[in-house]
Amino acid sequence: MRARVEAAGGRLLPGPFLDFLDPWGNRVEVIEYANIQFTKAPHVLHAMGFDLDKNENARRELADKGMAP
């Protein structure tokens, strides 16, 4: 991902995460979908062509909020 950001003209930002500024100055943070508590509706994931899953920690966070997939 880092190489793609640089090849597309983005500027990597210092720090422990993969944050960068796109060519228009927008700050973007790249994270693995499985690790975050946010989710998309199944029909949205299907329309986007994604077959994604959450790790156990993210599923537990969602369940604690009553949002388990």
Side-chain angles (χ1 to χ4, degrees), residues 55-65:
N55 66 25
E56 184 58 35
N57 187 49
R59 282 194 295 273
R60 188 172 38 257
E61 288 177 358
L62 286 165
D64 289 347
K65 293 180 179 183

Side-chain angles (χ1 to χ4, degrees), residues 13-44:
L13 298 174
F17 305 108
L18 180 51
D19 290 10
F20 64 92
L21 297 179
D22 69 14
W24 302 274
N26 298 299
R27 185 182 184 126
V28 179
E29 180 180 4
V30 178
I31 59 173
E32 185 179 348
Y33 182 80
N35 294 333
I36 61 172
Q37 62 180 303
F38 303 107
T39 188
K40 293 196 178 296
H43 68 280
V44 173

